[in-house]
Amino acid sequence: MNGCIRKSSSIFNSLKMSQEAAALQTCRNKSSAVETKPAIEGTRPEKPNAVSRCTWHLGVNPELNPHNNVKMNPSLLPPILPNILAAAGNTPMVQLNKIPLAEGVQCQVLGKCEFMSFGGSVKDRMGIRMIEEAERDGKLKPGYTVIEPTSGNTGVSVALVCAVKGYRCVIVMPQRMSQEKADMITGLGAEIVRTNGTSFEDDDSHFTVAKRLNKEIPNSIVLDQYTSSANGLEHYDSTAEEIWAQCGGNLSMVIAGSGTGGTLTGIGRKLKERDPNIKIIGVDPEGSLVALPDSLNVLRGKKHEVEGMGHDFTPTALDQNVVDAWFKCNDKDSFQMARRLIKEEGLLVGGSSGSIVAAALHCAKDLKPDEKCVVILPDSIRNYMSKFLSDGWMEERGYF
């Protein structure tokens, strides 16, 4: 646990892109000097318009049918859903293999794949819950406008729910967040307002602007994920229960990032009820002031590029009492690890997933082979195609 309460260091051994490019060119130069050998018989590709050699035809003798005829068990298929909102939750849990092995981690590291949710992030669960609770409480009615301040993922989720339910939606989002998020929000029919404030109390912060719009737009409501009880409750009721069931009630550690704090709070409270020995680790970027003890926050106010985590305040939705330790992670380690998750594990995740897995490589070092460490993988690479997935973007910022 002591390894968690410190800043991350560059622990990754991935080669710089310039080195990879040089090695690749050397390989090409060598291969060009080697005499070309004929292809192995039967492996040479045919023309794309070649006549098919398949012998299947309607009425073929079952004994001669070239197809395997593997039958699907209908009971394993999900039912037809009334709409996409009914697909919320039940995300898969996947074991990480290459990265933990390469970094000397002996325990099972299991990724809770929230990035595979229908809206692309862990925020889908909470987006539905906030809107449906507002409907039940009579705060949200047909013809009303939904307003939400967000770093992007909640904006996508809320805009999606509003599109299905027929509400006007206005999303207020900082300018520094990715264009991909903004495009998805507008693609869902929502209006978007970009802000430039840095502190949550600034006149141009997304919090302040959302409140101002709420006063200006008749019959509007601000859901406010940062204070909504629906945020933590949804993860208490669903995400934590799924983790417990998928691990068979046997796990030692859960690691999650802190955005609004709802994921950490809901999961932490439920799992601590089930087993007080489960360690809950929060991940906070350098520059953020959320982690405890406050002595961890040495780079106060430093701008960070990992999206969806970190603040200059402690959100109401975050219960610090369920977090056993905090891990501070920097942008370079986060983005390098996110790229490794894509390249080595085939997990198409965003930058904050890199932060969380980087934390796991430190915090789970002492866990035994029969123990389980669950990492929450919050969102998808879909949001960051023009950012850390781009070699040029990484090179410009010195992240290679």
Side-chain angles (χ1 to χ4, degrees):
M1 289 301 298
N2 292 335
C4 298
I5 310 181
R6 64 186 182 88
K7 297 190 295 180
S8 65
S9 59
S10 297
I11 60 172
F12 314 115
N13 299 319
S14 56
L15 294 175
K16 294 181 179 179
M17 292 303 297
S18 58
Q19 293 174 319
E20 292 181 346
L24 181 60
Q25 186 60 49
T26 301
C27 180
R28 286 172 177 164
N29 293 339
K30 288 181 179 179
S31 63
S32 63
V34 177
E35 182 180 353
T36 303
K37 296 182 180 180
I40 299 173
E41 186 67 28
T43 64
R44 190 183 298 278
E46 296 185 2
K47 293 181 178 180
N49 63 344
V51 177
S52 173
R53 295 196 298 272
C54 181
T55 60
W56 183 93
H57 61 273
L58 192 61
V60 65
N61 185 332
E63 295 182 0
L64 302 177
N65 191 337
H67 298 175
N68 290 327
N69 283 319
V70 176
K71 294 184 178 180
M72 173 65 70
N73 183 349
S75 66
L76 299 179
L77 295 174
I80 296 174
L81 303 176
N83 58 47
I84 193 60
L85 305 184
N90 296 313
T91 54
M93 188 173 286
V94 176
Q95 180 167 317
L96 276 61
N97 298 293
K98 295 180 182 178
I99 294 174
L101 179 64
E103 301 298 334
V105 175
Q106 299 183 60
C107 72
Q108 282 186 288
V109 180
L110 307 173
K112 181 63 170 162
C113 299
E114 293 297 292
F115 69 94
M116 295 179 68
S117 179
F118 63 85
S121 83
V122 67
K123 300 295 187 178
D124 293 339
R125 301 172 185 263
M126 176 255 291
I128 296 173
R129 178 108 175 212
M130 287 195 301
I131 287 179
E132 293 189 342
E133 285 200 359
E135 290 174 329
R136 285 193 294 271
D137 293 342
K139 298 177 181 178
L140 180 58
K141 301 176 182 179
Y144 277 32
T145 298
V146 175
I147 302 170
E148 182 64 10
T150 173
S151 60
N153 281 324
T154 301
V156 173
S157 300
V158 169
L160 193 156
V161 177
C162 287
V164 173
K165 289 178 171 285
Y167 295 112
R168 178 191 176 194
C169 181
V170 180
I171 298 300
V172 188
M173 186 171 76
Q175 188 66 46
R176 73 179 185 88
M177 302 306 168
S178 75
Q179 187 60 39
E180 288 91 335
K181 290 178 180 176
D183 290 341
M184 276 186 287
I185 289 167
T186 55
L188 286 163
E191 303 159 51
I192 188 166
V193 178
R194 303 299 289 267
T195 62
N196 293 304
T198 54
S199 170
F200 77 98
E201 294 178 316
D202 288 350
D203 290 339
D204 192 32
S205 76
H206 54 309
F207 304 102
T208 306
V209 172
K211 291 179 180 179
R212 186 165 65 243
L213 290 171
N214 182 218
K215 294 178 181 179
E216 296 172 355
I217 300 173
N219 297 325
S220 64
I221 177 175
V222 178
L223 298 172
D224 195 3
Q225 59 181 318
Y226 295 90
T227 61
S228 173
S229 61
N231 188 349
L233 284 173
E234 181 56 35
H235 295 293
Y236 179 92
D237 290 338
S238 68
T239 318
E241 290 285 3
E242 291 172 25
I243 291 171
W244 183 260
Q246 287 169 316
C247 292
N250 178 24
L251 66 156
S252 300
M253 183 178 290
V254 177
I255 304 179
S258 178
T260 62
T263 304
L264 271 172
T265 298
I267 291 174
R269 287 178 175 178
K270 175 57 70 69
L271 293 181
K272 289 285 189 182
E273 288 176 355
R274 295 290 176 83
D275 182 354
N277 293 317
I278 296 174
K279 301 302 180 184
I280 306 298
I281 310 298
V283 182
D284 192 41
E286 289 183 350
S288 172
L289 308 181
V290 175
L292 290 179
D294 189 57
S295 58
L296 289 173
N297 304 316
V298 291
L299 298 174
R300 306 176 76 88
K302 174 189 174 184
K303 291 184 179 180
H304 58 273
E305 303 219 49
V306 172
E307 298 184 24
M309 295 198 307
H311 296 290
D312 60 345
F313 63 96
T314 300
T316 304
L318 173 61
D319 181 0
Q320 292 272 21
N321 294 318
V322 299
V323 181
D324 293 291
W326 285 93
F327 181 88
K328 300 290 284 192
C329 197
N330 62 54
D331 286 337
K332 182 176 181 179
D333 288 351
S334 298
F335 293 136
Q336 286 187 352
M337 179 54 71
R339 288 173 65 110
R340 286 186 66 185
L341 286 166
I342 294 168
K343 185 176 181 180
E344 298 177 37
E345 304 286 354
L347 297 171
L348 302 180
V349 297
S352 59
S353 294
S355 304
I356 293 162
V357 173
L361 298 183
H362 281 290
C363 300
K365 281 281 190 182
D366 295 331
L367 296 185
K368 299 174 182 178
D370 61 345
E371 293 185 278
K372 297 182 180 72
C373 171
V374 175
V375 291
I376 307 299
L377 306 179
D379 73 350
S380 164
I381 185 58
R382 175 194 71 181
N383 293 337
Y384 314 104
M385 303 292 282
S386 62
K387 289 199 168 187
F388 77 86
L389 194 62
S390 163
D391 290 349
W393 189 90
M394 291 283 286
E395 288 172 352
E396 286 174 7
R397 289 156 177 79
Y399 292 152
F400 278 143

